[in-house]
Amino acid sequence: MNNIKIEPHHDSEGTDDDFFDDIKGKWARMEAERRQTAEYRINNMEYDMSQADWFLSRVRGSDTYAQNLYAAMCNNSFQKQDVWLILKDAYWSCSWRYAGGLVADLRDAGEDYMDWYCSGIGEKTDSNFVGEGNVTDEIDADLALLGWRVIEEPDAV
C-alpha cells in the first residue's frame, strides 16, 4: 500500500486568476454597454461629470480636488437643475464605495475605489482632505456649473 501515489486531476489549465480576469472582462463589457444607453444619461451626475472635459481635468489634476469630490458624494444627494426632475423630486446619490470607484474612473489613472474610500477619516495624507459628507465651496460651485445642487437627504425630512 505504501507505493500508491495520488496525483491531483486537472480538468483544465486555467487558474483562479484566469477565472476572475474573465469575470472582470465580462463585467467591463456589460458596464460599457450600460453606459451607452439613453437611460444612463438621464438624471445621472456621473454621466454629466464624465462628459465635461474641464471637470475631468480638475479631478485628474489634483488629489485634493478628487478627494473633495469623493467626500461630497458621500452621505449627500444631488438634484439636477431641470424643472421636470425637480417637480418629480428626482435625485442622484451613491454609496461611499461607489463614490470612490467613480472618482477612480474619472481620474483614469489605474486606481480603484480603495484609493479614495474612507479617505476623509483618520490620518490624512493632505491637510485639504475633508470628511465624508462635506461639500467644499469649490466642489459645490463646480457641480452647479454642471447643473447639479446638493439637496437635503430625501428620507431625512
Side-chain angles (χ1 to χ4, degrees):
M1 278 313 232
N2 291 341
N3 294 337
I4 297 175
K5 185 175 181 183
I6 300 175
E7 294 287 332
H9 177 69
H10 298 286
D11 289 329
S12 72
E13 295 293 320
T15 65
D16 285 345
D17 288 343
D18 293 335
F19 173 77
F20 289 114
D21 286 345
D22 186 46
I23 296 292
K24 185 178 177 183
K26 286 179 183 176
W27 178 261
R29 286 189 296 279
M30 287 174 27
E31 182 64 11
E33 289 173 11
R34 182 183 74 89
R35 291 179 180 194
Q36 297 303 315
T37 65
E39 293 84 21
Y40 176 76
R41 296 179 175 121
I42 298 171
N43 196 36
N44 188 346
M45 193 168 81
E46 174 181 359
Y47 174 75
D48 291 347
M49 289 187 294
S50 71
Q51 297 304 300
D53 290 337
W54 66 269
F55 192 83
L56 291 173
S57 178
R58 297 197 72 170
V59 174
R60 292 172 182 166
S62 166
D63 287 352
T64 297
Y65 189 90
Q67 192 282 331
N68 291 179
L69 175 62
Y70 158 78
M73 289 189 288
C74 295
N75 295 344
N76 286 304
S77 295
F78 302 85
Q79 191 167 56
K80 179 84 169 171
Q81 296 307 283
D82 173 277
V83 174
W84 184 246
L85 294 172
I86 293 169
L87 290 173
K88 288 174 52 176
D89 198 27
Y91 62 93
W92 182 93
S93 64
C94 65
S95 69
W96 288 25
R97 180 179 177 175
Y98 196 88
L102 176 52
V103 168
D105 287 349
L106 292 172
R107 287 173 57 88
D108 195 26
E111 300 167 335
D112 68 25
Y113 81 96
M114 285 302 295
D115 291 297
W116 301 102
Y117 186 72
C118 293
S119 58
I121 297 174
E123 285 294 318
K124 297 177 182 174
T125 58
D126 184 321
S127 62
N128 293 316
F129 280 18
V130 297
E132 283 77 358
N134 290 309
V135 182
T136 64
D137 291 341
E138 180 180 33
I139 296 296
D140 191 46
D142 286 351
L143 292 177
L145 289 173
L146 289 174
W148 291 86
R149 70 179 176 97
V150 180
I151 60 170
E152 186 174 321
E153 284 288 326
D155 46 14
V157 182

